[in-house]
Amino acid sequence: MTPENLLPALADYVLQHGLSDVSLRPLAKAIGTSDRMLLYHFGSKSALIAALLDYLARNYAEALDTAFPQAVAASRKECVMQVLAIVRTDPFRPFMRLWWDIIAGAASGNDAYRESAKVIAEQLLDWFEAHMPQDDPDPKQGAKLLFTLIEGALMLDVLDQGHLADAGIAAAEL
Amino acid sequence: MTPENLLPALADYVLQHGLSDVSLRPLAKAIGTSDRMLLYHFGSKSALIAALLDYLARNYAEALDTAFPQAVAASRKECVMQVLAIVRTDPFRPFMRLWWDIIAGAASGNDAYRESAKVIAEQLLDWFEAHMPQDDPDPKQGAKLLFTLIEGALMLDVLDQGHLADAGIAAAEL
DNA sequence: CTACAAGTGTAGCAGTCGCTACAATTCGAG
DNA sequence: CTCGAATTGTAGCGACTGCTACACTTGTAG
């Protein structure tokens, strides 16, 4: 049993229970081992978290590609709405909870969190750029705009206020 | 010494040290009292946090009005950029860190956090609507759009990627 | 078979957590 | 002054934290 083999189970647990309050003993129990073993494999809790964040970031891109349809939107507005519709489905909810944990950690100065979030954000931005409407006049900057909107909308979703973002986007030119 | 008198000092501490990892003993020591007293005044830690969030939400609106200039932007784009420029100054940094703590808590299912964040977000949206360009064709929906953009940009700021939001906004029509 | 490294269980350390029991003090109302 | 309420200090409980010491069992290479 190598550390790498443990990562999927660890990721499952963390997706379900959050990252900020995780502690070794319950985590170990949930995946059928002991805190002693997690420390043996990873050296320390922070190293475990770092490996876990790396794993999540590495696996996020492919999760995106499998979950998102290849449909190309006709307009920027349609593109945003498509992505939002998908990202709001149940399978993505655990990841969103984790996402805000990571952002909060990064905001508090945790560099490992920030770096991991950066990787994920970059991948998402790249994905966005590749999925812009074919006739978009400026896909590169457009992707940045849509990405910013999406993140703002996801934040409002946390407050059950996603409809505000929807309304603002629906009424906009973009 | 009533609980209300303690709130400003508590807010100062929390703005500096974050909300997610706060514990009673260091908090009490920092404001010159004891954990025993905090519990005496507030009943429990969660009640203290609730009172603190309420206090922060109540005081946020006036902080907005004193910190933001009354200048009216000529366009939506200019409006966003003005707000971003101010919200990115040093005095606002502690609040931003706290903000993402609250969002992460809300995302993890903490209803007190979510309600407090909702109040703050509502106030910010109202403020936005009142400060839209005078000739804006649809200030109500426009404010929602700009608010969404601002929150997305602030999230990217956490990752030192605010420039992405800036570029996207700069190139957009809005 | 031997020897050595990898892996694992048990027990525990030193620390922190929210919270409470108990007692002491302070203070204003009668 | 007297009595009861409000306030505060001390000490500690039971639970949890990351982590480690020590012993033990494996598995494998020579």
Side-chain angles (χ1 to χ4, degrees):
Chain A
M1 183 62 80
T2 66
E4 287 75 29
N5 297 347
L6 294 172
L7 286 173
L10 292 172
D12 279 351
Y13 180 89
V14 152
L15 280 168
Q16 212 169 6
H17 296 82
L19 191 49
S20 57
D21 289 343
V22 79
S23 63
L24 292 181
R25 272 180 265 245
L27 173 60
K29 187 170 218 174
I31 69 169
T33 178
S34 67
D35 59 333
R36 174 70 186 72
M37 279 301 95
L38 292 180
L39 289 169
Y40 175 75
H41 286 307
F42 292 98
S44 70
K45 182 187 180 184
S46 58
L48 186 157
I49 299 293
L52 192 45
L53 288 175
D54 183 64
Y55 173 79
L56 286 164
R58 275 189 287 114
N59 283 44
Y60 181 72
E62 69 185 68
L64 263 186
D65 275 328
T66 61
F68 283 69
Q70 291 298 350
V72 172
S75 68
R76 287 182 173 186
K77 197 186 295 190
E78 197 180 309
C79 183
V80 174
M81 286 176 163
Q82 275 182 11
V83 174
L84 273 179
I86 295 165
V87 119
R88 280 167 169 163
T89 57
D90 277 345
F92 281 85
R93 224 184 293 268
F95 185 79
M96 286 306 143
R97 182 239 194 98
L98 193 60
W99 177 245
W100 297 116
D101 263 357
I102 296 172
I103 296 301
S108 295
N110 186 317
D111 289 335
Y113 282 37
R114 174 154 41 231
E115 285 311 309
S116 177
K118 238 190 239 184
V119 171
I120 293 174
E122 254 166 44
Q123 289 170 349
L124 189 50
L125 182 59
D126 285 347
W127 185 92
F128 241 115
E129 201 177 319
H131 287 71
M132 288 287 284
Q134 286 156 323
D135 59 347
D136 194 274
D138 189 353
K140 216 165 184 68
Q141 305 308 317
K144 295 177 188 171
L145 178 72
L146 300 197
F147 182 44
T148 305
L149 276 172
I150 294 275
E151 290 297 331
L154 290 177
M155 185 252 115
L156 285 169
D157 280 349
V158 171
L159 310 182
D160 301 324
Q161 304 288 355
H163 57 90
L164 293 178
D166 294 348
I169 292 167
E173 299 287 341
L174 296 191
Chain B
M1 183 64 80
T2 65
E4 288 75 28
N5 297 347
L6 295 172
L7 286 174
L10 292 173
D12 280 351
Y13 180 88
V14 153
L15 280 168
Q16 210 169 7
H17 296 81
L19 191 50
S20 57
D21 288 344
V22 79
S23 63
L24 292 181
R25 273 179 266 245
L27 173 60
K29 187 170 219 174
I31 69 169
T33 177
S34 67
D35 59 333
R36 174 69 185 73
M37 280 300 96
L38 292 180
L39 289 169
Y40 174 74
H41 284 309
F42 293 97
S44 71
K45 182 187 181 183
S46 58
L48 186 157
I49 299 292
L52 192 47
L53 287 176
D54 183 62
Y55 172 80
L56 286 164
R58 276 188 287 114
N59 284 43
Y60 181 70
E62 70 183 68
L64 262 185
D65 276 327
T66 61
F68 283 70
Q70 291 298 349
V72 172
S75 68
R76 287 183 173 185
K77 197 186 294 189
E78 197 182 308
C79 183
V80 174
M81 285 176 167
Q82 275 182 11
V83 175
L84 272 178
I86 295 166
V87 119
R88 279 167 170 162
T89 58
D90 276 347
F92 281 84
R93 225 184 293 267
F95 185 79
M96 286 307 141
R97 182 238 195 99
L98 194 60
W99 177 245
W100 297 115
D101 262 357
I102 295 172
I103 296 301
S108 295
N110 186 318
D111 289 334
Y113 282 35
R114 173 153 43 229
E115 285 311 309
S116 177
K118 240 190 237 182
V119 170
I120 292 173
E122 254 165 45
Q123 289 169 349
L124 191 50
L125 182 59
D126 286 347
W127 184 93
F128 241 114
E129 200 178 319
H131 288 70
M132 288 288 283
Q134 286 156 322
D135 59 347
D136 195 275
D138 190 352
K140 218 165 182 68
Q141 305 309 316
K144 295 176 189 172
L145 179 71
L146 299 198
F147 182 45
T148 305
L149 277 172
I150 293 276
E151 290 298 332
L154 290 177
M155 185 252 114
L156 285 169
D157 279 349
V158 171
L159 310 182
D160 301 324
Q161 303 288 2
H163 58 90
L164 293 179
D166 293 348
I169 292 167
E173 298 288 341
L174 296 193

